[in-house]
Each structure stands twice: as C-alpha cells, then as structure tokens.
Amino acid sequence: MNIVPSIMATKKSGPKTLRSTVTKIYLLTASALEESNITHSEHIPEWIIGRIGEEKEVSILGSEGPIIFKVIEEVKAEEQHYNLIADSSYSLAREALGSLVGQITKERSKKVEVNFYGLDQEMITGAIVGLELALYRFKEELSFGAISFFNDGKKVTKSIVDSALSIAQSINTARHLVNLPANILNPVTYANAVKKYFAKSTTMKVTVYDEKKLAKENCGLILSVGQASATPPRIVHLKYRPTGAKGKPTAIVGKGITFDCGGLNVKSGAGMGVMKKDMGGSATVMGFATWLEKSGVKKKVDLYLALAENSINELASRPGDIYTSRNGLKVEIGNTDAEGRLALADAMDIAITQKEKPEVLIDFATLTGAAKVSMGDFVTSMFANDDELADKLLKASQKNGDLSWRMPLYRPYYKGFKSNFADMNNMSKVKGGSIGAALFLEKFIGDTKWAHFDIFGWTSGFRPSLAQEGGSGQGVETLIGYFQN
Ligand code: BES
Ligand code: ZN
Ligand code: ZN
C-alpha cells in the first residue's frame, strides 16, 4: 500500500454544493460592544446590537444570510499561580471563533465574513487559529465557502491571516500524526514520510539513523525497545539552518513510540486502547518543524524524533535484561513498559554530542501515566534544570493557551532507580512516577540546559477548537511562542 506520500496530509475537499448566502460573524470584546463607535458602527446594524442584551452569543437570520454575534470573555487578571495558568486573550479568542465552526459549516454559505471588533493582533491570530483547528477532522476536513476577515471594518492583512494559518496547520499536522493508526504509521513509514516532506527544503536537512546506524552508534536502549517489532527503530534528525542564523543551536527531542503495548509487561486492554498516541512527543516536534521551516526564523535548531514500536515476540526485551546506552550507562529493565525514557535517552545523547553542541535541549514525551493523573488533558507537566529557561517556556505556554506547570526535579527520588546488577534500573521503586521519569532522563543531558514536557497529547474533545476526540497537538504553540521571541 502506497501510504507514505499522503501520510502527512489531512484529506481536504472543496466545499460541496453551497448556498448563495453570506454568513456574517461578528466577534467582539465586551469593551468594544460598550463603546459607542461600535454600537453605532455602520458595519453592525443597530437592530442587531439591540438583540444582544445579556446574551454572549446570538444567531439571527439577516436578509443576506445568517448572522452570528459573539462576545469574547474578558481576560480576568488572575492573582493566583503567578498568572501562569490563566486564559490569555489569544486563547479566549481562539476558543470563541473555534466554537462557531459547527454553525458556519452547517450553513454552507458561498461567502463567510468574519468581523472583529476590539481585538488586537494576538487575538485576531488566536481567532483564526481556532477556526482552522476546529475544522480539522481525521477523515476529511470540514470546509465552507470563501472567507474574509475584517478588523474594525478594515480587511485583515494577508500576512496576519497566513501566519495564523501556518500556526494552526502545524498543530493540525501534529494532531494528524497522532491520529494515524500504528499499522500505517510505524518507525519506518514515519521516518520516510518526514524525509519526503522536507525533500525540497533549502533550510531543513533530514538524516535518518536506521537500525544499522543505530547499532554503530551504540544506541543500545532504543534498539532494545524496538527489537520485537517487524519495523525497527529510527532516529530522525532534522537540521534547521536558515541563512544568517548565528549562535548555538537549540535541540528538540520527541518520544515517538508508534505503539506501546507495554512489551512483556503487557498493558491491560483499557491501558493499551489509545497507545497509538505514544508518538505524541515526536508529533509535537514534527508539527513544530513544519512551522519552523515556513517561518524562516533565523535560529539554529536540531530536531530529533526517537521512533520505535514497543512490541512483543520471542525477541522482546525481558525484565532483568541489561542494555547499554549510547553514553555508556548500563540499564537494567525493571519494566518493559517504561520504554519511552530508553528511546529518549539515546536520542538525547546524540543531540548533546553533535559537533555543534546545543545550548538548550527541550524534550516532549507521553512519558508517564502519572502526569496524566496529576494534570489531565490540557496542562502539561514541565521539568527544567534552569530557572530562566523554565520561566521563558512557561510564559510562552501561558500566552499561547497551551498550558504547562512546573514540577520539581526532586533529586532524592533518584535513589529509587538503584540496581544491583547495572548502573540503574529503568523503573523506580519510589512513588512520584513523572518526577522519577524526569530524573532518569536527567542522566542523559550532561551539562545542557534542559526542559522536559511530560505531555498527554490527546483530547476527548471538550475544548471548542479541538472539537474532535484525538491528538491535540499539545506543545506546538508553546514551542512557537518560545521561538517567536
Ligand atoms: N506511554 C506510557 C505512558 C502513558 C500512559 C502516557 C497513559 C499517557 C497515558 C509509558 O510508556 C508507560 O507505560 N509508562 C509507565 C511507566 C512505569 C512502568 C514505570 C507508567 O507511567 O505507568
Ligand atoms: Zn510504556
Ligand atoms: Zn510509552
């Protein structure tokens, strides 16, 4: 089956039969609504304003077609949590327009007109991102007629629309990769698809480490994870070098377990259910890579996807086995289901031993069930060994509505990894699963400034712009925000 060429793309088809109506959306801030210049605006008929009253959202049938009027909630100045876990104006606008997609597509109008009042550029970006995110479907994206955006009556510039679309599309790429089933997306097809995607790029160079190269590089840990799979592990290195970029590169690493059955410590049926999403960290990195390449940001970035399938056959690794990592540590397998840290360890070591050594390393991984239990769908557990880096990332995550919360690298817990037969075990005997996993990874980052995101990567669909159950693209907006500065 020739799936590789289309693996990265969502299926799009033009709108079907459209009605010759215009759907008009009015999206405004509460303060814009109160201002007299808006209420008496020539663009919003006064009779519509009159209908609003106390409602936040009103739909009316006008002479040309449906009119949807929506007031965006105001950002509340949060005094708690250092204001890091609050809604931002960007995320409120994103969810506000995202929530209207069902109505817009249902109308099947030939023209859709979105009128913003009182929104700044960040909010306009957020709104357009929300619209594009909410249109995503795995089987076939939703669509509608020609759309145009106006801000206070003036056309929104193409560059703002395009930059918002490029953000949304990179998130949708991450979501799509997560949604692809493991019989289609495996380490080999995944690596090939990435190579093909960037084949013509002048700034992104893709190198694939296949199983032979991984053996030559002494990547004993990632090889052990994939040794029972029909499709062997890959580490994909994407090297981004735009002209004019100076300074040390940033490295970004993603866990890409294309399916995690748990290995011989096999997961229960319920636990295994959505484990196609165990490559979510790599999807975040890949989604971000598509944005990075389009953005032309003048920074050096090295991205790594640690790809393997955690499977079972007579070759599978066993509890008690000992494997040697690329950096020379002997690791005893306490639990074959703690495979993500193994795959990441070798990829991180490759990242920090490049000729151009990175200044900062950031990794994304669906690493522990414990992170899911403590933070749920939409808040990521973030660990960092550098306060300045942590601060910058948390601020980017807050501003771009992709929330995370810092967790402690509490080093006394590391003693739980003690092994009588090797340098360390891959499973800790100490509670605090996500902290332990982070401490395990810390053994592979040397003296590099490092942040680790233990993501969930999946949504059950209660956020309006992520209307669908499936991959959520968690982390992509944080990375974009971090690099936009
Ligand atoms: N991929 C899982 C973690 C996971 C589970 C993420 C559910 C999101 C939802 C990971 O490989 C795993 O199984 N971790 C184990 C580690 C344990 C055996 C030390 C866990 O968290 O239970
Ligand atoms: Zn696992
Ligand atoms: Zn896993």
Side-chain angles (χ1 to χ4, degrees), residues 36 87 150 172 219 225 290 298 352 386 391 432 435 439 449 457:
S36 57
D87 289 315
F150 298 88
N172 284 344
C219 293
V225 174
T290 63
K298 289 208 183 319
I352 64 162
D386 183 89
D391 208 46
I435 299 175
L439 292 171
K449 288 181 194 167

Side-chain angles (χ1 to χ4, degrees), residues 152-387:
D152 292 327
K154 286 192 278 303
K155 207 163 174 54
V156 176
T157 63
K158 188 172 179 306
S159 80
I160 293 178
V161 177
D162 286 351
S163 95
L165 289 178
S166 140
I167 293 170
Q169 281 154 10
S170 68
I171 302 165
N172 284 344
T173 297
R175 296 167 76 190
H176 194 67
L177 285 168
V178 169
N179 291 342
L180 286 166
N183 62 319
I184 291 179
L185 192 77
N186 61 54
V188 177
T189 57
Y190 195 170
N192 289 345
V194 173
K195 187 135 187 112
K196 193 171 171 111
Y197 183 88
F198 288 114
K200 291 197 180 110
S201 173
T202 54
T203 52
M204 193 74 86
K205 200 181 125 226
V206 179
T207 311
V208 177
Y209 292 49
D210 63 10
E211 68 275 27
K212 283 191 203 108
K213 169 91 169 148
L214 289 170
K216 226 169 116 199
E217 289 280 336
N218 302 314
C219 293
L221 298 188
I222 191 170
L223 284 169
S224 81
V225 174
Q227 68 195 24
S229 170
T231 48
R234 297 281 184 265
I235 288 179
V236 182
H237 176 188
L238 300 91
K239 193 177 182 127
Y240 176 69
R241 292 292 183 277
T243 45
K246 291 187 192 76
K248 291 183 183 169
T250 300
I252 305 178
V253 184
K255 168 176 170 180
I257 301 300
T258 54
F259 193 75
D260 181 12
C261 77
L264 287 176
N265 292 106
V266 64
K267 285 184 184 293
S268 67
M272 208 187 294
V274 289
M275 276 301 132
K276 69 175 183 182
K277 83 172 172 83
D278 210 21
M279 35 55 72
S282 72
T284 298
V285 176
M286 192 47 210
F288 171 69
T290 63
W291 176 85
L292 184 66
E293 200 245 358
K294 278 190 219 147
S295 75
V297 163
K298 289 208 183 319
K299 288 177 182 159
K300 298 178 186 170
V301 189
D302 288 289
L303 308 107
Y304 300 86
L305 315 176
L307 310 181
E309 183 187 348
N310 190 17
S311 196
I312 308 176
N313 67 13
E314 69 279 14
L315 302 172
S317 68
R318 295 144 288 232
D321 280 5
I322 296 172
Y323 299 98
T324 307
S325 68
R326 185 173 186 274
N327 78 353
L329 286 171
K330 288 192 164 37
V331 180
E332 181 185 0
I333 305 302
N335 192 315
T336 60
D337 200 7
E339 83 299 332
R341 59 198 75 183
L342 302 175
L344 284 171
D346 284 336
M348 286 161 72
D349 191 61
I350 289 177
I352 64 162
T353 56
Q354 293 292 306
K355 259 195 215 129
E356 275 193 286
K357 192 180 175 319
E359 171 145 44
V360 167
L361 187 151
I362 307 171
D363 78 81
F364 291 83
T366 50
L367 201 59
T368 67
K372 163 185 87 172
V373 171
S374 54
M375 298 288 179
D377 285 23
F378 292 129
V379 183
T380 305
S381 294
M382 194 268 279
F383 299 81
N385 65 2
D386 183 89
D387 293 342

Side-chain angles (χ1 to χ4, degrees), residues 13-70:
S13 67
K16 302 189 174 83
T17 45
L18 294 177
R19 302 198 298 208
S20 51
T21 50
V22 185
T23 294
K24 288 193 178 180
I25 319 279
Y26 292 93
L27 195 66
L28 35 132
T29 58
S31 47
L33 179 61
E34 275 163 26
E35 272 174 34
S36 57
N37 64 327
I38 298 297
T39 43
H40 297 123
S41 163
E42 58 196 275
H43 301 286
I44 309 177
E46 226 168 315
W47 62 270
I48 297 179
I49 303 277
R51 299 261 189 119
I52 298 257
E54 293 297 293
E55 303 283 321
K56 280 254 177 324
E57 192 180 323
V58 174
S59 307
I60 310 167
L61 191 61
S63 55
E64 289 184 298
I67 299 173
I68 306 167
F69 210 97
K70 190 170 176 104

